[in-house]
């Protein structure tokens, strides 16, 4: 069933107007290079606590059947082969056309050297069994040696220049970065003259990224939000991580009122902020549930409640790994939250 559908966030000046079926096709966002990107995707990082035997295959299969047209993977996740296998099968079976699915992958930190960037992308394409990706992202502004040690001799501007070349070669339709802060984005844009199409960063109730999102709006950079659930679930909550948890009374009451689940309320909130959420689940029913957010709208009072959880707490800090890099992107005060 199709109906004309608009979402207007007065607070942020974001307007989505689209004809979407009630049960969901995510509206398309036009990127600054003219390409379009579905405003909701499936994450496929299996996590710190993945069990042997975990795979993204069933999730990707369920996702495409449920209407997802955007899958997020990365060289480091070890899920490119699974993603490619399912996507190619769905194309072969006539469920989707290649041009209707948006596939993102990422350059890992140990391939930042000029001569490594394009070969790394070609390797990802081989694993994905695709001729091009829709989006290639630099995973971090930090370069490392292959043993994981920080290598500050490589400038991310050089890495970016090779990504620009990858786009020129048609290996990636669009290019962008992850985990860059405002000064790093500014330097990237100033030096290369090429504005990333997408910034992928952590965005969730605890880390709503108002300043960074404003910068991206001003520069026409789409914001993709990773770890959209923050520390909502036990897999990422630590004893000192701030609320909310999945059983938070305010969120539970709100979910009940809309006839939705707490994860759906959160994903809807991010969507209304203009962020492209990429929740990960390997469980079919959750994959389906997470996508079912296009048939309701939050009211202003509820948005205020959701806004109130914002406290600059970062779930993914990587300080222990790369805090010594000159390109470590996050605030000093955040480094102390873990
Ligand atoms: N660029 C970067 O540096 C970066 C960093 C982190 C993440 N990412 C991307 O962002 C994606 C999402 O972030 P994330 O994986 O860190 O975390 P997330 O999507 O916020 O949370 C994933 C966790 O939530 C659980 N879950 C998902 N939906 C649920 C539901 N409806 N009910 C109950 N539990 C649910 C999942 O468990 P089950 O799987 O068991 O359902 C999993 O434990 C990643 O997969 C990756 O693609 C990018
Ligand atoms: C699961 O996690 C382990 C340890 O972090 C990692 O070495 C392994 O590659 C992961 N498996 C997949 C499929 O990502
Ligand atoms: C990692 O490799 C670099 C470059 O080869 C080397 O300088 C560094 O000592 C190595 N670090 C570790 C912990 O092995
Ligand atoms: C980028 O360029 C602008 C405008 O020329 C300038 O104001 C700003 O300081 C530069 N920033 C960086 C980080 O180079
Ligand atoms: C961004 O990261 C760089 C490198 O660590 C740091 O010097 C700079 O202060 C950071 N800028 C912001 C706005 O956080």
């Amino acid at each position: 069933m199709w109906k004309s559908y608009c979402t207007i966030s007065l607070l942020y000046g974001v307007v989505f107007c689209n004809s979407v079926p009630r049960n969901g096709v995510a509206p398309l966002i036009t990127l600054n290079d003219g390409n379009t990107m579905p405003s909701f995707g499936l994450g496929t990082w299996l996590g710190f606590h993945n069990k042997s035997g975990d795979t993204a295959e069933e999730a990707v299969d369920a996702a495409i059947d449920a209407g997802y047209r955007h899958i997020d993977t990365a060289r480091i996740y070890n899920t490119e082969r699974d993603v490619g296998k399912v996507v190619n099968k769905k194309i072969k079976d006539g469920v989707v056309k290649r041009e209707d699915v948006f596939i993102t992958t990422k350059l890992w930190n140990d391939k930042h050297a000029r001569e490594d960037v394009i070969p790394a992308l070609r390797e990802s394409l081989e694993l994905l069994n695709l001729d091009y990706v829709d989006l290639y992202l630099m995973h971090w502004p930090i370069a490392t040696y292959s043993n994981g040690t920080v290598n500050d001799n490589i400038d991310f501007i050089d890495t970016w220049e090779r990504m620009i070349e990858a786009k020129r070669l048609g290996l990636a339709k669009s290019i962008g970065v992850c985990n860059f802060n405002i000064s790093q984005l500014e330097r990237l844009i100033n030096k290369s003259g090429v504005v990333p199409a997408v910034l992928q960063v952590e965005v969730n109730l605890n880390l709503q990224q108002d300043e960074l999102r404003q910068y991206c709006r001003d520069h026409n950079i789409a914001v993709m939000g990773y770890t959209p659930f923050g520390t909502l679930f036990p897999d990422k909550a630590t004893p000192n991580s701030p609320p909310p948890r999945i059983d938070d009374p305010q969120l539970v009451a709100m979910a009940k009122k809309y006839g939705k689940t707490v994860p759906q309320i959160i994903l809807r909130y991010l969507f209304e902020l203009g962020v492209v959420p990429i929740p990960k689940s390997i469980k079919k029913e959750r994959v389906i549930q997470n996508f079912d957010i296009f048939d309701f709208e939050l009211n202003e009072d509820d948005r205020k409640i959701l806004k109130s959880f914002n406290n600059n707490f970062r779930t993914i800090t990587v300080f222990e790994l790369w805090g010594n890099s000159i390109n470590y992107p996050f605030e000093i005060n955040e480094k102390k939250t873990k």
Side-chain angles (χ1 to χ4, degrees):
M1 179 166 110
W2 292 75
K3 67 169 187 174
S4 173
Y5 192 88
C6 282
T7 302
I8 301 166
S9 169
L10 296 175
L11 204 57
Y12 295 96
V14 176
V15 183
F16 292 113
C17 273
N18 249 293
S19 239
V20 295
R22 259 183 69 73
N23 290 323
V25 163
L28 295 175
I29 287 180
T30 300
L31 304 175
N32 64 25
D33 60 6
N35 294 326
T36 57
M37 176 174 82
S39 55
F40 195 102
L42 178 76
T44 66
W45 174 42
L46 299 178
F48 293 123
H49 310 296
N50 74 71
K51 297 187 256 339
S52 71
D54 278 1
T55 143
E57 253 183 82
E58 279 168 47
V60 176
D61 192 290
I64 292 174
D65 286 350
Y68 288 68
R69 293 293 176 265
H70 177 171
I71 314 286
D72 182 78
T73 183
R75 187 68 197 89
I76 194 69
Y77 300 165
N78 260 327
T79 52
E80 286 169 315
R81 202 187 288 278
D82 287 353
V83 169
K85 197 163 137 188
V86 178
V87 167
N88 279 298
K89 182 175 181 297
K90 293 290 175 189
I91 293 169
K92 188 163 159 274
D93 292 351
V95 180
V96 286
K97 295 208 261 320
R98 174 64 187 93
E99 58 270 31
D100 296 333
V101 279
F102 190 98
I103 307 297
T104 299
T105 196
K106 312 187 190 89
L107 176 75
W108 190 237
N109 306 348
D110 62 352
K111 302 290 184 199
H112 276 213
R114 294 188 68 88
E115 64 276 17
D116 289 342
V117 176
I118 288 173
L121 172 51
R122 290 196 192 277
E123 190 180 281
S124 285
L125 289 171
E126 205 168 305
L127 287 162
L128 284 161
N129 193 17
L130 296 174
D131 301 329
Y132 67 90
V133 286
D134 296 277
L135 178 64
Y136 199 44
L137 296 172
M138 197 188 308
H139 209 141
W140 289 90
I142 299 163
T144 68
Y145 296 104
S146 50
N147 63 15
T149 306
V150 165
N151 175 4
D152 280 337
N153 299 316
I154 300 177
D155 189 344
F156 58 66
I157 303 294
D158 289 332
T159 312
W160 183 239
E161 277 169 1
R162 298 308 292 161
M163 292 178 65
I164 294 168
E165 177 63 14
K167 179 173 157 71
R168 218 176 275 135
L169 292 170
L171 301 173
K173 297 279 182 200
S174 295
I175 51 173
V177 296
C178 309
N179 299 304
F180 274 52
N181 68 27
I182 290 178
S183 350
Q184 292 171 325
L185 284 171
E186 202 168 275
R187 184 165 167 265
L188 189 77
I189 295 167
N190 279 7
K191 292 264 180 184
S192 73
V194 177
V195 182
V198 171
L199 172 69
Q200 185 183 107
V201 284
E202 179 179 334
V203 189
N204 49 51
L205 291 185
N206 286 156
L207 190 69
Q208 299 191 19
Q209 303 269 30
D210 292 359
E211 225 191 318
L212 195 50
R213 286 189 297 106
Q214 183 60 53
Y215 180 88
C216 287
R217 258 195 307 282
D218 292 345
H219 292 81
N220 199 10
I221 301 169
V223 177
M224 213 190 277
Y226 78 63
T227 314
F229 298 130
T231 54
L232 193 74
F233 299 118
D235 77 307
K236 293 201 187 70
T238 61
N240 65 343
S241 34
R245 295 291 163 279
I246 183 71
D247 59 355
D248 183 277
Q250 271 184 307
L251 295 183
V252 169
M254 200 185 293
K256 195 169 168 221
K257 188 176 80 183
Y258 290 96
K260 290 285 171 180
T261 65
V262 169
Q264 286 171 331
I265 295 288
I266 291 170
L267 295 169
R268 178 71 204 186
Y269 177 64
L270 298 177
F271 172 75
E272 288 184 15
L273 288 184
V275 171
V276 175
I278 48 167
K280 168 265 181 182
S281 176
I282 55 167
K283 306 221 162 57
K284 183 177 174 176
E285 64 280 9
R286 291 178 181 167
V287 167
I288 294 168
Q289 177 200 131
N290 290 345
F291 195 68
D292 185 15
I293 62 157
F294 301 105
D295 60 350
F296 77 112
E297 197 174 344
L298 296 162
N299 71 35
E300 204 49 49
D301 289 343
D302 291 329
R303 273 188 222 145
K304 279 200 188 110
I305 293 172
L306 292 161
K307 174 114 196 121
S308 74
F309 288 104
N310 189 15
N311 62 2
N312 216 28
F313 177 83
R314 191 177 291 279
T315 298
I316 307 288
T317 68
V318 302
F319 183 63
E320 303 75 8
L321 289 173
W322 307 311
N324 62 331
S325 170
I326 56 168
N327 291 317
Y328 182 79
F330 306 141
E331 307 268 352
I332 304 294
N333 66 337
E334 291 172 351
K335 293 175 185 173
K336 295 192 185 122
T337 55
K338 274 207 172 163

